[in-house]
């Protein structure tokens, strides 16, 4: 069944087909087990931070990978999330699709907002790991700018911490990355 946003939710939950049928109205919609999640527009600080991180990653991104921002990752027909920044394979990017499959994603980055704390810190990393996305970064803005990085433990399908950075992001996955945190910091943070 294809539902409209103003309809009563489908009895068996929303699907990615339902998302595709909704109008392009700028709302950020994600699915968690068929439950439609609609997020408020990101703040200026959030958007500046995501843009700067995307540019910084793009500067050293190898040719076999692709950096993008806020593109849907469809885990299955009832789970769909939109990372703030993500790295995909270049082959996947060449499709010019409106979404990626988890196996095409090498890194998902979430910037924690007041309305996304539990999703970004608990739910999304658990589900991204279960879907096999090799790397996850969590960007915290409360009390200063901190980037926490995680690498997938393939055997247990969970993320293991691989670094906490407040001055420089220095990590070897998905490639050797060195970014000064000051370069990412929005002016009013």
């Amino acid at each position: 069944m294809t539902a409209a946003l103003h309809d009563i939710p489908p009895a068996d939950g929303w699907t990615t087909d339902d998302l595709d049928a909704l109008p392009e109205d700028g709302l950020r919609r994600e699915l968690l087990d068929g439950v439609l999640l609609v997020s408020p527009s990101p703040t200026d600080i959030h958007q500046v931070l995501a843009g700067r991180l995307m540019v910084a990653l793009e500067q050293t991104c190898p040719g076999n990978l692709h950096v993008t921002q806020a593109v849907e990752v469809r885990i299955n027909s009832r789970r769909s999330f939109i990372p703030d920044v993500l790295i995909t394979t270049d082959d996947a990017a060449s499709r010019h699709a409106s979404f990626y499959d988890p196996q095409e994603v090498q890194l998902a980055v979430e910037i924690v907002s007041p309305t996304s704390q539990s999703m970004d810190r608990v739910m999304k990393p658990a589900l991204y790991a279960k879907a096999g996305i090799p790397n996850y970064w969590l960007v915290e803005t409360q009390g200063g700018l901190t980037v926490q990085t995680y690498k997938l433990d393939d055997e247990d399908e969970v993320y293991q911490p691989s670094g906490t950075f407040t001055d420089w992001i220095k990590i070897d996955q998905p490639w050797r990355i060195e970014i000064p945190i000051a370069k990412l910091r929005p002016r009013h943070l």
Side-chain angles (χ1 to χ4, degrees):
M1 172 186 154
T2 301
L5 192 56
H6 63 284
D7 290 344
I8 295 173
D12 55 349
W14 292 78
T15 68
T16 53
D17 288 339
D18 295 323
L19 288 183
D20 290 342
L22 293 173
E24 291 291 329
D25 55 10
L27 293 176
R28 185 180 192 135
R29 297 182 182 101
E30 298 176 300
L31 289 178
L32 175 59
D33 298 333
V35 174
L36 180 65
L37 306 171
V38 182
S39 302
S41 295
T43 65
D44 177 66
I45 286 174
H46 184 282
Q47 293 300 83
V48 169
L49 183 52
R52 288 183 180 176
L53 179 58
M54 187 178 116
V55 168
L57 289 167
E58 179 65 28
Q59 289 175 346
T60 61
C61 182
N64 64 323
L65 297 175
H66 176 76
V67 182
T68 191
Q69 188 176 4
V71 178
E72 180 183 1
V73 176
R74 289 192 175 172
I75 295 173
N76 60 41
S77 66
R78 296 171 44 81
R79 284 188 187 152
S80 178
F81 299 116
I82 303 173
D84 295 311
V85 176
L86 61 158
I87 304 209
T88 68
T89 64
D90 193 58
D91 287 342
S94 70
R95 290 188 296 112
H96 304 288
S98 60
F99 65 88
Y100 294 109
D101 294 324
Q103 66 271 15
E104 298 173 315
V105 179
Q106 295 299 304
L107 168 65
V109 179
E110 296 291 353
I111 301 167
V112 178
S113 299
T115 60
S116 71
Q117 293 177 48
S118 295
M119 287 295 292
D120 293 344
R121 293 179 183 146
V122 180
M123 189 63 64
K124 285 185 178 181
L127 296 175
Y128 288 155
K130 192 80 169 157
I133 296 173
N135 300 283
Y136 180 72
W137 291 9
L138 186 66
V139 181
E140 299 274 1
T141 58
Q142 292 291 70
L145 189 55
T146 302
V147 178
Q148 298 170 6
T149 62
Y150 301 87
K151 185 171 180 355
L152 182 63
D153 175 333
D154 292 323
E155 187 175 320
D156 293 331
E157 295 181 319
V158 297
Y159 288 118
Q160 297 297 330
S162 57
T164 299
F165 306 98
T166 56
D167 294 320
W168 279 81
I169 301 168
K170 291 184 180 183
I171 194 154
D172 292 328
Q173 294 295 323
W175 70 87
R176 183 159 177 72
I177 297 170
E178 292 188 14
I179 301 171
I181 296 286
K183 186 176 182 177
L184 305 178
R185 189 181 323 279
R187 197 174 332 156
H188 301 290
L189 178 63

